[in-house]
């Protein structure tokens, strides 16, 4: 009798645990389906939202930045100067950083003519200690920074083996590492106030390697990756600090003087004023990624699905592999 009871008990226990396991498996399946359904719904929602927003004028959804303090690196010329002037016209207070004192003061003069507040600082963005020192002085004299525009950049325009070690290192110090140090200096204050915006002026060369631009491309790839990673960190922490990365084709500012494009109606050399308007509009609308011209979105999408040899042939056909053949630049002294 006892062995029979033991067998029945063992069978009952086995069946009980099998039922419990099946229920747990079913619960896991239902939980997985629930998570998938929620994720799919929000993917569809944000996709539709993005499509709708693409047709809404930026002026209708732009945030008000009047009274906010904007710091622009490389503000002494080119895109940096134009960005600073555009923000000044929006009623912002400006802080200008540049290694070129003369150019920086000229930008400040134009901003003052608009009636806006402006402070200038000479800085060596290849020097981390100098960045931290000037950042501390900036916060003491100009107050908290609300919008940080990491715009300063340099380009050697030489083939890889023609670039000296010093040139390569300086390219990364200015184009990439400086972003780390400026963000470390000003991001904590933005997070504490739960308000701010970090703008990274990168390049289309941050998504596609270009013949004759190995150091520049690598530095811009890093800048794009830094922006994306930082954005995800901020979102995971629930912070209302926005980031925007700008990836333009070549801009007619002199920095890439001599660069050419084979098909200008598809990949035009961009005009500075129009480019800056699109950059600032993207910041005002909290847009995460901006590629200019818009045809770049198509090319970057193709990059993910085309075989490597096809990518090379496409770059050859569109003249991307030869865009730097006649490069002159601004004759920057990087040695």
């Amino acid at each position: 009798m006892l062995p029979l009871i033991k067998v029945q008990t063992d069978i009952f226990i086995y069946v009980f645990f099998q039922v419990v396991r099946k229920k747990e498996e079913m619960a896991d399946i239902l939980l997985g389906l629930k998570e998938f359904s929620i994720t799919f719904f929000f993917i569809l929602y944000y996709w539709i939202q993005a499509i709708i927003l693409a047709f809404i004028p930026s002026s209708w959804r732009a945030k008000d930045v009047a009274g906010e303090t904007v710091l622009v690196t490389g503000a002494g010329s080119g895109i940096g100067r134009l960005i600073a002037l555009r923000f000044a016209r929006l009623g912002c207070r400006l802080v200008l950083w540049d290694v070129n004192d003369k150019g920086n003061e000229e930008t400040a003069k134009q901003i003052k003519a608009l009636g806006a507040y402006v402070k200038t600082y000479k800085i060596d963005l290849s020097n981390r200690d100098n960045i931290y020192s000037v950042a501390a002085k900036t916060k003491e004299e100009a107050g908290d920074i609300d919008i940080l525009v990491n715009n300063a950049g340099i380009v050697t325009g030489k083939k890889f083996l023609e670039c000296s070690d010093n040139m390569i290192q300086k390219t990364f110090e200015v184009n990439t590492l400086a972003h780390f140090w400026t963000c470390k200096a000003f991001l904590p204050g933005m997070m504490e106030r739960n308000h701010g915006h970090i703008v990274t002026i990168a390049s289309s060369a941050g998504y596609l390697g270009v013949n004759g631009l190995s150091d520049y491309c690598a530095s811009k790839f890093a800048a794009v990756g830094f922006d994306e990673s930082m954005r995800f960190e901020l979102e995971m922490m629930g912070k209302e600090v926005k980031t925007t990365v700008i990836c333009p084709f070549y801009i007619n500012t002199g920095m890439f003087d001599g660069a050419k494009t084979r098909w200008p109606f598809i990949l035009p050399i961009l005009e500075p004023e129009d480019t800056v308007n699109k950059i600032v509009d993207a910041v005002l609308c909290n847009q995460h990624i901006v590629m200019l011209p818009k045809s770049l979105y198509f090319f970057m999408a193709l990059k993910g699905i085309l075989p490597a040899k096809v990518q090379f042939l496409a770059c050859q056909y569109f003249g991307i592999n030869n865009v730097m053949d006649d490069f002159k630049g601004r004759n920057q002294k990087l040695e």
Side-chain angles (χ1 to χ4, degrees):
M1 187 68 179
L2 287 175
L4 180 60
I5 293 173
K6 185 176 183 305
V7 169
Q8 290 175 336
T9 302
D10 289 343
I11 292 173
F12 173 78
I13 293 172
Y14 173 78
V15 171
F16 174 78
F17 280 109
Q18 287 295 316
V19 171
V20 170
R21 193 179 72 179
K22 290 293 183 183
K23 285 185 176 181
E24 289 177 346
E25 289 176 354
M26 184 59 66
D28 289 341
I29 291 172
L30 291 174
L31 181 61
L33 287 173
K34 179 183 177 182
E35 290 178 351
F36 173 80
S37 299
I38 293 172
T39 302
F40 182 77
F41 169 79
F42 279 107
I43 287 173
L44 193 61
Y45 170 78
Y46 287 122
W47 206 325
I48 292 172
Q49 182 190 66
I51 293 172
I52 293 172
L53 289 176
F55 292 95
I56 298 176
S58 58
S59 58
W60 292 10
R61 50 195 179 96
K63 62 185 179 183
D64 182 13
V65 294
E68 298 201 352
T69 303
V70 182
L71 189 158
V72 182
T73 68
S77 63
I79 291 296
R81 172 177 291 174
L82 294 175
I83 289 174
L85 288 168
R86 174 72 195 279
F87 275 115
R89 293 188 184 98
L90 292 171
C92 296
R93 305 167 74 247
L94 271 300
V95 175
L96 312 180
W97 280 14
D98 205 299
V99 70
N100 179 358
D101 254 343
K102 185 178 178 181
N104 217 23
E105 292 302 328
E106 176 56 33
T107 303
K109 180 180 177 181
Q110 295 182 31
I111 290 173
K112 288 176 182 176
L114 297 172
Y117 171 94
V118 61
K119 290 283 290 183
T120 61
Y121 298 89
K122 183 175 182 178
I123 189 167
D124 178 4
L125 287 166
S126 67
N127 186 317
R128 180 186 58 188
D129 292 337
N130 190 220
I131 291 174
Y132 285 151
S133 173
V134 175
K137 187 176 181 182
T138 297
K139 286 185 281 189
E140 180 182 345
E141 296 180 350
D144 294 322
I145 299 300
D146 299 299
I147 301 175
L148 169 63
V149 183
N150 280 313
N151 162 75
I154 58 175
V155 59
T156 62
K158 294 184 178 182
K159 295 289 197 295
F160 171 62
L161 292 179
E162 296 174 0
C163 293
S164 69
D165 293 353
N166 179 60
M167 291 164 65
I168 292 171
Q169 183 171 331
K170 192 151 191 173
T171 296
F172 275 88
E173 286 170 344
V174 175
N175 294 1
T176 308
L177 291 177
H179 296 207
F180 284 75
W181 316 141
T182 58
C183 288
K184 275 201 166 187
F186 298 110
L187 181 58
M190 294 181 184
M191 292 174 64
E192 185 178 341
R193 301 190 307 277
N194 203 27
H195 174 80
H197 203 130
I198 295 172
V199 185
T200 301
I201 307 297
S203 170
S204 57
Y207 278 95
L208 181 69
V210 179
N211 174 38
L213 276 178
S214 57
D215 56 339
Y216 184 81
C217 286
S219 70
K220 293 301 184 179
F221 265 77
V224 170
F226 174 61
D227 166 86
E228 186 169 84
S229 178
M230 185 169 56
R231 171 161 48 88
F232 288 162
E233 278 194 28
L234 291 167
E235 289 181 353
M236 287 299 292
M237 290 187 287
K239 295 296 182 180
E240 287 298 319
V241 179
K242 308 299 182 183
T243 78
T244 297
V245 60
I246 311 295
C247 300
F249 194 57
Y250 302 107
I251 307 172
N252 185 24
T253 61
M255 184 176 182
F256 280 93
D257 187 29
K260 59 186 179 181
T261 176
R262 184 179 181 185
W263 304 105
F265 61 94
I266 298 176
L267 287 173
I269 301 294
L270 302 172
E271 290 304 317
E273 291 79 7
D274 183 56
T275 302
V276 165
N277 286 334
K278 288 182 170 62
I279 290 172
V280 176
D281 286 347
V283 174
L284 297 178
C285 296
N286 294 327
Q287 190 172 340
H288 295 309
I289 303 168
V290 180
M291 294 187 183
L292 301 169
K294 289 186 177 181
S295 57
L296 285 176
Y297 289 103
F298 173 73
F299 288 113
M300 297 311 169
L302 280 181
K303 183 186 176 184
I305 60 176
L306 293 179
K309 289 186 177 180
V310 176
Q311 290 182 37
F312 176 80
L313 288 173
C315 288
Q316 192 80 351
Y317 176 76
F318 285 103
I320 295 172
N321 288 339
N322 303 103
V323 74
M324 295 295 291
D325 287 356
D326 300 318
F327 171 79
K328 300 181 184 67
R330 291 189 183 132
N331 297 317
Q332 295 156 303
K333 295 180 181 179
L334 302 179
E335 294 285 2

